[in-house]
């Protein structure tokens, strides 16, 4: 293997996988997006690597050139992206070029900003009876969108929304979402989740624009929208419902009351 596309997670150096750390330790060349990947993740490997390069100011041909040089020398390359490289990581065009040149690669997944933000907020993004779907998207800007993926079309589902790269247009986002979610729908806006300067603001579609403007959030911000963010009235999951049978748990009668002592004395065996 020559190239590892490594997901570094949302920013916290502890939110990177063991596999990612192991692959970084193998590489002689490390190419990372310095504007999004904290130096603390790269620093432990600077002495071992022949080349450590911040690609924030580089165009795609320059990045590929460094990979080709390393491949020619028989060296391994860590191409480090923030979050999960498969989500808005722009690895598709890199992979296309590598495949054309028969340069082997592997993608190492990472913790997404969505997952890290939900954890920071202490929220589950899928609640039974409220929403069972999460839509990760971005607000239309330079990247053209097909009509079926524009925000109103997605909002019609009523799903939990995770909107990347849209905070500077939050007033437009709110205008497009209110007809589907209502003014009282909860919104959480998370800035640089898991970084030392992380910040957030919560509100509703009615007041979130003003709150965000007061915070002066600009880049590296995630907008979460959905009734799961504020709902206390949701159904218990069937996962632990004693009246619902599944392959690992025999059905328990509805009128059976199992106490903690019962459970300890007669544990349900699986496998």
């Amino acid at each position: 293997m020559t190239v590892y596309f490594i997901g570094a997670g949302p920013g916290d150096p502890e939110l990177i996988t063991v596999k990612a750390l192991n692959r970084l330790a193998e590489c002689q060349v490390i190419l990372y997006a310095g504007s999004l990947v904290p130096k603390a993740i790269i620093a432990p490997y600077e002495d071992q690597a022949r080349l450590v390069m911040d690609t924030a100011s580089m165009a795609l041909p320059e990045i590929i050139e460094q990979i080709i040089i390393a491949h020619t020398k028989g060296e391994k390359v860590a191409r480090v992206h923030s979050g999960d490289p498969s989500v808005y990581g722009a690895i598709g065009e890199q992979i296309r070029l590598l495949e054309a040149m028969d340069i082997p690669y592997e993608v190492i997944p990472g913790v997404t900003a969505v997952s890290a933000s939900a954890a920071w907020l202490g929220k589950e993004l899928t609640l039974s009876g409220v929403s069972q779907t999460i839509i990760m998207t971005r607000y239309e800007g330079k990247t053209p969108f097909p009509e079926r993926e524009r925000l109103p079309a997605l909002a019609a589902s009523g799903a939990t929304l995770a909107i990347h790269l849209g905070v500077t247009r939050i007033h437009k986002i709110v205008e497009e979402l209110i007809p589907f979610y209502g003014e009282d729908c909860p919104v959480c806006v998370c800035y640089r989740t898991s970084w030392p300067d992380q910040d957030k603001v919560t509100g509703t579609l009615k007041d979130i624009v003003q709150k965000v403007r007061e915070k002066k959030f600009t880049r590296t911000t995630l907008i979460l929208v959905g009734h799961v963010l504020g709902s206390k009235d949701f159904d218990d999951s069937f996962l632990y419902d004693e009246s619902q049978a599944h392959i690992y748990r025999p059905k328990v009668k509805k009128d059976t009351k199992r106490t903690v002592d019962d459970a300890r004395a007669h544990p349900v065996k699986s496998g």
Side-chain angles (χ1 to χ4, degrees), residues 153-166:
L154 302 180
S157 69
T160 304
L161 299 178
I163 305 171
H164 297 257
L165 306 173

Side-chain angles (χ1 to χ4, degrees), residues 29-98:
V29 175
I30 299 174
L31 307 174
Y32 72 103
S35 59
L36 297 172
V37 176
K39 193 66 179 294
I41 289 176
I42 305 301
Y45 308 97
E46 288 184 318
D47 290 341
Q48 75 168 39
R50 174 182 66 79
L51 177 66
V52 178
M53 182 175 292
D54 180 356
T55 61
S57 62
M58 297 170 64
L60 180 59
E62 298 173 274
I63 295 169
I64 296 299
E65 181 182 5
Q66 292 300 325
I67 292 175
I68 293 171
I69 292 171
H71 177 64
T72 302
K73 294 181 177 181
E75 296 174 331
K76 294 182 179 181
V77 179
R79 180 71 179 102
V80 187
H81 289 259
S82 62
D84 185 297
S86 299
V87 181
Y88 301 120
I91 65 171
E93 52 265 50
Q94 298 175 72
I95 288 173
R96 181 167 56 192
L97 291 171
L98 296 184

Side-chain angles (χ1 to χ4, degrees), residues 130-137 148 150-162 176-177 179-181 225-227:
V130 182
S131 175
Q132 287 294 295
T133 302
I134 303 166
I135 296 176
M136 291 189 289
T137 187
R148 66 182 182 277
R150 291 200 167 100
L151 198 54
L154 302 180
S157 69
T160 304
L161 299 178
E176 294 183 14
L177 293 184
F180 300 94
Y181 291 85
V225 182
H227 293 287

Side-chain angles (χ1 to χ4, degrees), residues 211-269:
K211 289 184 175 183
V212 167
R213 286 175 175 168
E214 288 172 359
K215 286 284 190 178
K216 299 181 180 179
F217 291 159
T218 52
R219 302 171 62 249
T220 324
T221 305
L222 177 72
I223 303 168
L224 294 172
V225 182
H227 293 287
V228 294
L229 299 172
S231 179
K232 300 295 183 183
D233 183 20
F234 56 89
D235 301 329
D236 287 346
S237 168
F238 284 164
L239 181 62
Y240 305 114
D241 187 338
E242 64 179 2
S243 68
Q244 300 294 324
H246 58 63
I247 191 172
Y248 296 111
R249 183 182 63 228
K251 187 172 183 178
V252 180
K253 295 180 180 179
K254 291 185 179 181
D255 59 353
T256 300
K257 301 294 184 182
R258 295 191 75 201
T259 65
V260 173
D261 290 337
D262 291 334
R264 290 172 177 167
H266 307 286
V268 174
K269 294 181 179 180

Side-chain angles (χ1 to χ4, degrees), residues 88 137-152 154 163-169 172-173 176:
Y88 301 120
T137 187
R138 58 191 294 180
Y139 195 69
E140 186 173 10
K142 293 180 181 179
T143 302
F145 270 47
E147 187 65 36
R148 66 182 182 277
E149 291 186 21
R150 291 200 167 100
L151 198 54
L154 302 180
I163 305 171
H164 297 257
L165 306 173
V167 72
T168 57
R169 300 179 179 89
K172 293 183 179 179
I173 290 172
E176 294 183 14

